[in-house]
C-alpha cells in the first residue's frame, strides 16, 4: 500500500497568512493526488485533483503543486472560512489512501 | 443538480450488520463509480472500497475483506454498503463518494452527506 504522510498535523495561523501543507507519498504516484477540505460535522469537499487542478468553484487562493512523491497545498491568504482540516489522497493505485490530515486553526 | 443522498443514522449491537444506502440523482448513474469512505469519531478518513456502477466490479480494503459488500441497484440509482459482524471500532460516519474522471484515471469527487453508524451494546 502507498502511505501518505502529511505535515504538519496541525498549525495555527492568522487571517491573511500564507499557509503551506505538505503531503509525501511512500512511492511515486505521478500526479494522481487530490486535496480535500473538511469542516467540523460536514462531509469533505474536493479542492484539487491531479495535484494542481482546481475544482470548479474553488477560489484561486488555493493552489496545489508537486509530482512523484512530494506535494503541497497552499492557501495564499487565509480567511476565516478556510479554518478546517485538509486531507491529501492518492488515487494512483488501490487501496486509495489518505494522509492523516492537517488541522488549520486560528492563531 | 448532481447529488448523493444517504440513509439515516443507525445504532447497532456488536455482531449485527448494517446496510447504508446512497441514492444518486442528477447524472447517469452507470457512468461513474462509487467509493465508500469512513471516518471514526475524531479520526481521519479511511478508504473502504469502490464499486463500478456500470458492471458491479468491486475493490475492497483488505482489512474489511469478508465483512463488507458493496452493491448497486441501477433501477433506482442507488448504491449500498453492507458491513457485517460489527464491532465497536466500526463506529464511524460512512460516506459514499462519486468518482470523477481525468487523464484516464478516477478520483473521488462528490460526497454524500454521511451516515453515522454507532455500534454499542
Amino acid at each position: 500500500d502507498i502511505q501518505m504522510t502529511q505535515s504538519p498535523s496541525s498549525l495555527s495561523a492568522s487571517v491573511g497568512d500564507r499557509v503551506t501543507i505538505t503531503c509525501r507519498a511512500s512511492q511515486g504516484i505521478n500526479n494522481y493526488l487530490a486535496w480535500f477540505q473538511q469542516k467540523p460535522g460536514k462531509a469533505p469537499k474536493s479542492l484539487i485533483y491531479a495535484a494542481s487542478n482546481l475544482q470548479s468553484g474553488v477560489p484561486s487562493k488555493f493552489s496545489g503543486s508537486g509530482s512523484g512523491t512530494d506535494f503541497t497545498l497552499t492557501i495564499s491568504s487565509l480567511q476565516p472560512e478556510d479554518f478546517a482540516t485538509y486531507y491529501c489522497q492518492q488515487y494512483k493505485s488501490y487501496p486509495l489512501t489518505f494522509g492523516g490530515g492537517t488541522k488549520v486553526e486560528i492563531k | 443538480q448532481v447529488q448523493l443522498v444517504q440513509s439515516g443514522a443507525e445504532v447497532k449491537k456488536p455482531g449485527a450488520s448494517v446496510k447504508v444506502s446512497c441514492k444518486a440523482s442528477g447524472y447517469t448513474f452507470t457512468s461513474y463509480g462509487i467509493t465508500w469512505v469512513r471516518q471514526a469519531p475524531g479520526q481521519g478518513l479511511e478508504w473502504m472500497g469502490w464499486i463500478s456502477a456500470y458492471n458491479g466490479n468491486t475493490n475492497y480494503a483488505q482489512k474489511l475483506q469478508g465483512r463488507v459488500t458493496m452493491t448497486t441497484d441501477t433501477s433506482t440509482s442507488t448504491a449500498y454498503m453492507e458491513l457485517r459482524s460489527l464491532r465497536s471500532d466500526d463506529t464511524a460516519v460512512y460516506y459514499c463518494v462519486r468518482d470523477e474522471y481525468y487523464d484516464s484515471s478516477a478520483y473521488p469527487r462528490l460526497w454524500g452527506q454521511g451516515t453515522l453508524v454507532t455500534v454499542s451494546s
Side-chain angles (χ1 to χ4, degrees):
Chain A
D1 298 3
I2 299 174
Q3 307 303 317
M4 305 300 294
T5 303
Q6 269 183 254
S7 60
S9 57
S10 66
L11 65 90
S12 295
S14 301
V15 172
D17 283 354
R18 180 183 180 89
V19 167
T20 297
I21 297 168
T22 296
C23 181
R24 174 164 288 175
S26 61
Q27 61 188 245
I29 59 169
N30 301 107
N31 66 339
Y32 295 117
L33 185 98
W35 288 97
F36 300 93
Q37 176 195 63
Q38 186 178 34
K39 296 181 179 179
K42 299 294 187 182
K45 170 188 171 183
S46 177
L47 294 178
I48 285 172
Y49 62 98
S52 60
N53 291 269
L54 212 58
Q55 206 62 250
S56 62
V58 174
S60 59
K61 61 183 170 182
F62 292 96
S63 63
S65 65
S67 184
T69 60
D70 294 313
F71 302 86
T72 60
L73 172 70
T74 299
I75 309 171
S76 61
S77 177
L78 204 63
Q79 296 302 305
E81 63 270 19
D82 303 328
F83 291 94
T85 300
Y86 294 84
Y87 295 92
C88 62
Q89 183 205 36
Q90 67 81 20
Y91 53 96
K92 171 77 164 53
S93 63
Y94 289 122
L96 305 192
T97 43
F98 292 91
T102 296
K103 186 173 184 178
V104 177
E105 299 176 300
I106 301 172
K107 183 183 284 185
Chain B
Q1 75 279 23
V2 177
Q3 62 177 349
L4 301 174
V5 178
Q6 299 184 221
S7 49
E10 304 260 15
V11 179
K12 297 291 183 181
K13 294 194 183 303
S17 299
V18 68
K19 192 169 186 177
V20 178
S21 68
C22 170
K23 183 168 177 59
S25 60
Y27 70 95
T28 302
F29 181 68
T30 52
S31 294
Y32 296 87
I34 295 285
T35 292
W36 289 87
V37 174
R38 69 180 181 178
Q39 185 172 38
Q43 301 302 308
L45 302 170
E46 179 186 12
W47 182 83
M48 300 179 66
W50 171 89
I51 182 166
S52 165
Y54 173 70
N55 58 16
N57 285 352
T58 55
N59 194 311
Y60 299 141
Q62 187 161 10
K63 69 177 285 188
L64 297 175
Q65 286 274 3
R67 289 207 299 138
V68 68
T69 301
M70 296 174 188
T71 58
T72 59
D73 181 345
T74 57
S75 69
T76 59
S77 298
T78 303
Y80 298 93
M81 186 285 301
E82 181 180 33
L83 190 60
R84 300 176 293 278
S85 301
L86 289 168
R87 309 186 290 245
S88 58
D89 62 356
D90 291 318
T91 293
V93 176
Y94 289 75
Y95 295 101
C96 60
V97 196
R98 196 203 80 172
D99 282 349
E100 191 61 75
Y101 297 105
Y102 179 79
D103 193 20
S104 72
S105 192
Y107 67 95
R109 159 79 173 93
L110 179 70
W111 296 67
Q113 85 276 18
T115 296
L116 175 62
V117 175
T118 302
V119 183
S120 175
S121 55

